[in-house]
Amino acid sequence: CNYAHANILMAAIGQEIDICADPDSICDDGKTYWAASIAYWMLKVHAVYLLDHSFDTAMACIKDGLCDAPYEGEWKGSGWETRKERYEQYLQIFAPAPPVSVSPPPPPPCWAPQSCPSNPVWLCVTGGDPVQC
């Protein structure tokens, strides 16, 4: 039963709501609706969405129960144009920033004369760039 699994997931996020005893509470209370929606996503949609982060796959699973594999084609269920437009807006808002490329820092400048262990001649002067031995 989806409701029994949803109850367990909702309890895990602090929602002590028994939707098996009162399934209408999903429609009567926004907090219950939201928690049940998250539970449904985790139970049904999440695994297939990890394979294909597309609107079409998510909607085919949520609205049509086609949750076994990524959806081939374009989902065109009820209200698809508005749903797809909002989905794309959310992606733009919540899209992660591109990874930052971090290069290793340059070696510090010489702040005091240094020498090679094999050669006592100083290789750089105070404030200068280091010179390899």
Side-chain angles (χ1 to χ4, degrees), residues 3 7 13 18 20 32 38 57 65 70 72 112:
Y3 288 161
N7 276 346
I13 62 170
D18 186 356
C20 289
T32 305
I38 296 299
T57 292
E72 299 293 327

Side-chain angles (χ1 to χ4, degrees), residues 44-123:
K44 289 292 197 178
V45 184
H46 184 69
V48 73
Y49 191 72
L50 287 176
L51 299 174
D52 175 29
H53 297 327
S54 76
F55 169 82
D56 300 308
T57 292
M59 293 308 297
C61 183
I62 293 167
K63 301 301 280 178
D64 299 333
L66 304 173
C67 302
D68 296 329
Y71 186 72
E72 299 293 327
E74 191 172 5
W75 184 83
K76 298 256 183 161
S78 173
W80 72 271
E81 292 154 325
T82 302
R83 293 171 194 251
K84 190 165 192 165
E85 180 181 318
R86 287 183 183 154
Y87 177 86
E88 289 169 357
Q89 288 172 351
Y90 292 140
L91 284 182
Q92 289 177 357
I93 292 169
F94 296 112
V100 177
S101 175
V102 178
S103 55
C110 293
W111 295 109
Q114 299 177 3
S115 65
C116 293
S118 61
N119 183 346
V121 177
W122 289 347
L123 298 177

Side-chain angles (χ1 to χ4, degrees), residues 9-23:
L9 287 173
M10 288 192 303
I13 62 170
Q15 298 295 314
E16 298 296 332
I17 303 163
D18 186 356
I19 57 175
C20 289
D22 183 15

Side-chain angles (χ1 to χ4, degrees), residues 17-33:
I17 303 163
D18 186 356
I19 57 175
C20 289
D22 183 15
D24 288 339
S25 66
I26 294 172
C27 298
D28 296 339
D29 175 41
K31 192 175 181 180
T32 305
Y33 173 80

